[in-house]
Amino acid sequence: MSDKMRAVVSTGPDEYGIQMIDVPKPGIGEVLCRVKAVSICGSDPGLFAGHYQSKGWPPHYPFVFGHEWSGEVVELGPETSGFKPGDRVAGEAHCGCGICDNCRRGQYTLCLNYGKAELGHRHYGFANNGAYAEYGVFKVKSITKMPGEVTFDEATMCDTAGVALHAVDNAGVTPAGYFVVYGPGPIGNLAMQIAKSRGTRTIMVGRRDRLRMAGKCGADILVDYEKVDPVEEILRITDGLGADEVIECAGTQDALYQSVKSVRRDGNVVVLALYPKDDLVVPLDSIVIRQLHVLGSRANPNCSKRVLELIQQKRINVNELITHTYDLADIKTALDVFSHRKDGAMKVIVHP
Ligand SMILES: [Zn+2]
Ligand SMILES: [Zn+2]
């Protein structure tokens, strides 16, 4: 094995390209993996463009992004066990320190030692080098063995589907109730599929291609907000009660407001979009008078094993969402197709 590898190296905002760099060495509790597939995340175009530098993403240049990946274990670091070379694994972005109060509660995406690599924290593709490369080094805490029939392309959806699963867990599901999702992107689509697998009726709010895709993936009722007022439509469908649970993945002021207005009294609203600012209007009077439970949901703690099993059992269909695949060398085209949703692009995968 050569000690150099191809990687997409970012050298500044909007400056990136393929370079030959050193293959990293696994440390304690880490494995070296051959990356087989990486899915472009909704956050990647902004990361490559340098839009999140105020959050410390990336903390330095040169940097390697990419956090929705799958691959094969090649080599174990010292004092590392539980995996062996050849194991097929899927990655997740967050790796908690394991010792802080939040990690000890299992909430490692809220690790109190965020960014402290010396204490074992990692946030791959954001605060630590990620997977747009032939190889990457990852803590064993952040990888999960793939069940037999799951493909590498499917397994790149582990992180995204985990975000959806955590949001659905936070929202709860009422069997034979109504579960609304605002925002039919990959996370919204998968949240809809996971909720549906638990026996509720699903309503997807969106428009055009992505709404159609939600229909193909099993959404029971499609609401096109360009044609009808979604709140009125949801109240009509639910005999004036409102939905039992609503998930907001669209990330817009309208969708946030409408999400709160769409849920029934004492119902649950889960908010998980990345909002550009912290100053959006939330209808607080409705929340109090109608006794709503509005919760934030961050990332995907303890979800990977379950989502990989959901994929294997075909309870969720991720293949429908994978619209394009490219070689790593074509990263610019891949990002362009993804960000401009060219040719109906939903999930775009690159192969190192
Ligand atoms: Zn992601
Ligand atoms: Zn921690």
Side-chain angles (χ1 to χ4, degrees):
M1 178 182 143
S2 152
D3 54 358
K4 295 277 181 192
M5 65 174 187
R6 285 195 311 161
V8 179
V9 179
S10 287
T11 47
D14 261 330
E15 281 172 24
Y16 60 93
I18 296 279
Q19 286 185 20
M20 294 303 288
I21 60 172
D22 289 343
V23 174
K25 293 253 173 298
I28 292 172
E30 290 178 331
V31 287
L32 175 71
C33 290
R34 172 94 171 88
V35 180
K36 293 284 193 175
V38 195
S39 177
I40 297 179
C41 175
S43 58
D44 280 332
L47 289 167
F48 276 102
H51 293 168
Y52 299 116
Q53 282 178 292
S54 62
K55 290 184 155 85
W57 303 336
H60 53 74
Y61 290 107
F63 193 80
V64 178
F65 293 111
H67 59 274
E68 300 183 358
W69 67 277
S70 62
E72 251 172 35
V73 173
V74 173
E75 187 188 328
L76 271 58
E79 297 170 44
T80 304
S81 59
F83 290 87
K84 60 181 186 315
D87 280 347
R88 300 157 77 244
V89 294
E92 58 185 78
H94 285 269
C95 170
C97 72
I99 50 171
C100 76
D101 197 49
N102 287 351
C103 282
R104 291 173 76 146
R105 293 177 185 199
Q107 298 294 343
Y108 59 85
T109 61
L110 305 173
C111 178
L112 298 171
N113 288 315
Y114 189 97
K116 294 184 184 160
E118 69 281 11
L119 292 178
H121 178 271
R122 300 286 189 276
H123 191 193
Y124 296 106
F126 291 83
N128 304 87
N129 277 349
Y132 286 121
E134 286 181 285
Y135 296 92
V137 150
F138 303 95
K139 291 275 188 190
V140 290
K141 279 188 278 183
S142 73
I143 61 174
T144 305
K145 280 180 198 159
M146 290 163 51
E149 295 107 64
V150 176
T151 67
F152 286 117
D153 281 2
E154 288 172 331
T156 64
M157 306 294 280
C158 176
D159 192 84
T160 304
V163 174
L165 176 60
H166 187 50
V168 174
D169 281 348
N170 280 327
V173 174
T174 305
Y178 286 98
F179 189 102
V180 173
V181 178
Y182 277 80
I187 291 173
N189 184 305
L190 289 162
M192 176 278 292
Q193 294 191 45
I194 292 165
K196 187 177 162 108
S197 77
R198 296 181 185 179
T200 185
R201 286 163 289 192
T202 53
I203 303 176
M204 180 65 82
V205 183
R207 60 181 184 147
R208 298 182 201 168
D209 295 2
R210 292 193 160 189
L211 195 59
R212 272 196 294 280
M213 188 179 280
K216 266 196 200 169
C217 292
D220 297 301
I221 300 165
L222 305 177
V223 175
D224 184 335
Y225 67 77
E226 289 184 326
K227 298 196 177 127
V228 292
D229 178 287
V231 175
E232 280 175 16
E233 186 63 9
I234 288 160
L235 289 174
R236 190 187 66 73
I237 293 164
T238 57
D239 291 331
L241 280 176
D244 298 276
E245 298 89 18
V246 179
I247 284 195
E248 204 303 87
C249 323
T252 65
Q253 170 68 71
D254 281 353
L256 177 63
Y257 193 88
Q258 290 161 351
S259 291
V260 175
K261 293 289 188 181
S262 302
V263 76
R264 66 181 292 157
R265 293 175 194 210
D266 201 37
N268 298 345
V269 180
V270 165
V271 182
L272 71 151
L274 273 184
Y275 297 93
K277 286 193 245 147
D278 214 5
D279 60 357
L280 300 191
V281 175
V282 186
L284 288 171
D285 193 48
S286 287
I287 293 172
V288 176
I289 299 298
R290 298 169 59 237
Q291 191 175 294
L292 308 185
H293 311 268
V294 181
L295 293 169
S297 187
R298 182 168 187 195
N300 46 9
N302 310 304
C303 290
S304 294
K305 188 165 187 282
R306 287 183 293 151
V307 290
L308 288 167
E309 278 165 13
L310 288 173
I311 294 170
Q312 180 182 34
Q313 293 166 15
K314 309 217 180 300
R315 286 174 189 270
I316 54 175
N317 174 358
V318 292
N319 284 312
E320 193 67 45
L321 309 186
I322 300 171
T323 53
H324 296 72
T325 54
Y326 291 95
D327 184 83
L328 187 69
D330 300 321
I331 183 74
K332 285 204 168 137
T333 311
L335 278 166
D336 180 56
V337 166
F338 176 80
S339 6
H340 297 103
R341 298 189 189 173
K342 287 186 178 167
D343 191 18
M346 182 82 143
K347 269 299 194 186
V348 176
I349 289 180
V350 296
H351 296 132

